[in-house]
Amino acid sequence: MAVPTALIQSLQTATGFQQEAFEAVHASGEQIVSIRLNPAKPIELSHLPISDNVKWCENGRYLAERPFFTFDPFLHAGAYYVQEASSMFLWQAIQQTVPNTAGKKVLDLCAAPGGKSTLLASYFTDGLLVANEVIKNRANILVENCSKWGGGNLIVTNNDPSHFQSLPNFFDLLMIDAPCSGSGLFRKDPDAIQEWSEANVALCCQRQQRILADALPCLAEEGILIYSTCSYSQEEDESICDWLLEEMDMESIPLKIEKDWGIVETHATVHGAAGYRFYPDQIKGEGFFLACFRKKTGSFSTKIKLKALPATSKAQVQILQSHILLPENLSFFDQNESIRAIETKWLSHLSSLASHLYIKKAGVEIASLKGKDLVPAHELALSGWILGGYPSIELDLEHALLYLKRKEYRVEGQNGWNLMRYGGQPLGWAKILPNRINNYYPAEWRILKE
Ligand code: SAM
């Protein structure tokens, strides 16, 4: 299907737009496949058809063809994330605008399904990341992807952007990957062409302004805003940048880009804010736009309420620690009959967030106590926090897939709880009984395809 004429017309004034090459690349139907590796879960990559590195993101790799990702246990272990290459430019944006990550508080406001959140989590390993999604069922997939990615510094919330106004000046970095008219994904998903209209671009532009205006008070003075869309329309890109400088007291931060990357630097017409355009005929990736800003002044500040989280009893923490060896400096708290943990340095921040937001995932779920039996949690298996305690079983591909499908299988192992691994990476828990194996892989995440 051809790119809409009205879009082509509107792009005549867009910086770097080359109509013929743009139309040809859309007509070609060429599909680019890329993944981003999880540096916290290193794996042997020889089974993937890796062809090249993504130039602007050190963990990004192109694949020569699309494998059956569903049948790769490493995907389920969170060892990589299938992500469109242009959007990995966020890696450059954060490296250049936030070189010191320690103690930084980051909000990814429009986060589902979690591509940008998992990238941010890999960079801010000593920071705190809040990944938020307003739409309830999309928040579930965000929890799943963030849990698989692992790491203990991730909180998932399910709130409207306006709810973050209760946390004035709280975050050091605000990522807004805004809902948009989606023209940048036309090559990947030609069905999206039918949904595109000029009226929808105008609607998206208004919604983007509303989201930004609602969320900006939670960004600290001197804090960084990263705004991105997968739309080519200037109304959703450069015009929003102009509006941020004109109305929202932000200043533009230009980024350094290499010439051979093929990324187009653009400047908004009125105030000249710098932005970065990705055209699929000029880079190996899909359509994308990103711009960075600094907030010039703080917002009016009220005291942020703290809701104390119910600390897990000492006796229960002792039971826990007699079974699992975990990192030091964790604080344990109870939530809905399970024990969760977060690094102690983030506990008061989590309390502030819990006072104002609906939290879907707070730190890492560790276990629940059923009588005297300690049931280790799936999030714990994937967290990268297990330093010892339970035995592990290394599965081959066939058994790993049976485990992930929750089908019957037999393996040798010690009776009791075992951590099931593939290629060294934890997949989840199983309990070996004398005559059967109980599979504790979450039913809602199991592989359904045959
Ligand atoms: N950042 C995600 C990633 O990299 O995987 C993609 C985000 S997608 C471009 C935009 C997200 O904004 C969607 O998950 C959508 O549900 C959410 N959204 C839709 N309307 C919204 C609104 N009014 N306020 C905030 N978020 C909204």
Side-chain angles (χ1 to χ4, degrees), residues 81 83 108-116 133-135 138 161 177-179 207 210-211:
Y81 190 94
Q83 186 174 36
D108 184 7
L109 185 69
C110 308
K116 311 277 181 317
E133 170 57 44
V134 64
I135 297 175
R138 287 178 60 82
D177 186 30
R207 184 167 55 187
R210 197 172 63 237
I211 292 173

Side-chain angles (χ1 to χ4, degrees), residues 172-434:
D172 303 294
L173 172 73
L174 171 59
M175 168 79 224
I176 299 191
D177 186 30
C180 70
S181 61
S183 46
L185 299 180
F186 281 173
R187 178 171 60 163
K188 217 173 166 186
D189 176 17
D191 290 346
I193 296 178
Q194 276 162 326
E195 279 156 41
W196 188 90
S197 68
E198 287 171 291
N200 193 32
V201 170
L203 216 89
C204 286
C205 162
Q206 282 174 11
R207 184 167 55 187
Q208 286 147 0
Q209 288 183 341
R210 197 172 63 237
I211 292 173
L212 282 157
D214 278 348
L216 273 170
C218 77
L219 184 63
E221 185 173 340
E222 297 286 303
I224 303 294
L225 164 72
I226 301 181
Y227 174 77
S228 65
T229 72
C230 57
S231 164
Y232 300 109
S233 296
Q234 295 165 91
E235 295 92 321
E236 299 178 74
D237 297 341
E238 286 88 344
S239 302
I240 294 283
C241 298
D242 258 343
W243 172 81
L244 281 166
L245 264 57
E246 175 109 21
E247 303 275 340
M248 305 307 287
D249 208 22
M250 305 297 287
E251 67 186 13
S252 164
I253 310 178
L255 300 175
K256 286 194 203 80
I257 49 171
E258 301 291 331
K259 256 214 158 72
D260 71 337
W261 292 356
I263 300 166
V264 173
E265 178 163 331
T266 137
H267 293 274
T269 40
V270 183
H271 297 286
Y276 298 87
R277 287 187 159 260
F278 292 68
Y279 293 106
D281 49 296
Q282 296 170 49
I283 47 102
K284 205 169 161 189
E286 305 310 312
F288 186 60
F289 176 85
L290 183 145
C292 299
F293 305 86
R294 184 176 291 108
K295 185 168 165 180
K296 292 205 282 197
T297 45
S299 306
F300 174 71
S301 200
T302 47
K303 214 161 178 238
I304 297 173
K305 272 192 294 182
L306 277 182
K307 175 169 138 189
L309 298 163
T312 305
S313 72
K314 275 198 175 132
Q316 290 197 337
V317 172
Q318 269 172 6
I319 298 177
L320 201 74
Q321 287 172 335
S322 67
H323 286 80
I324 322 163
L325 186 60
L326 292 168
E328 287 175 6
N329 305 328
L330 294 184
S331 288
F332 297 91
F333 55 96
D334 295 337
Q335 192 187 45
N336 302 336
E337 321 219 325
S338 29
I339 302 170
R340 305 191 70 96
I342 192 154
E343 275 181 73
T344 301
K345 66 179 176 188
W346 300 125
L347 190 65
S348 67
H349 294 309
L350 175 59
S351 301
S352 305
L353 294 162
S355 313
H356 300 282
L357 303 171
Y358 179 61
I359 298 198
K360 295 277 291 182
K361 166 177 157 55
V364 177
E365 185 181 4
I366 304 291
S368 48
L369 270 165
K370 302 253 156 73
K372 282 212 163 143
D373 194 15
L374 188 81
V375 180
H378 190 65
E379 275 185 30
L380 173 66
L382 298 169
S383 66
W385 271 1
I386 302 176
L387 303 176
Y390 291 109
S392 289
I393 296 180
E394 182 68 32
L395 300 174
D396 60 16
L397 180 61
E398 183 195 346
H399 286 90
L401 289 174
L402 288 170
Y403 173 73
L404 292 168
K405 290 176 180 176
R406 285 174 58 97
K407 294 228 163 133
E408 290 283 315
Y409 65 97
R410 291 274 345 143
V411 282
E412 295 302 318
Q414 285 178 42
N415 279 356
W417 290 104
N418 281 267
L419 189 57
M420 305 311 243
R421 292 180 188 266
Y422 177 75
Q425 295 303 329
L427 297 176
W429 299 103
K431 193 171 186 184
I432 300 192
L433 303 171

Side-chain angles (χ1 to χ4, degrees), residues 150-169:
N153 58 346
L154 239 157
I155 293 171
V156 178
T157 57
N158 175 210
N159 284 87
D160 185 83
S162 60
H163 299 169
F164 286 87
Q165 288 174 14
S166 321
L167 297 158
N169 307 315

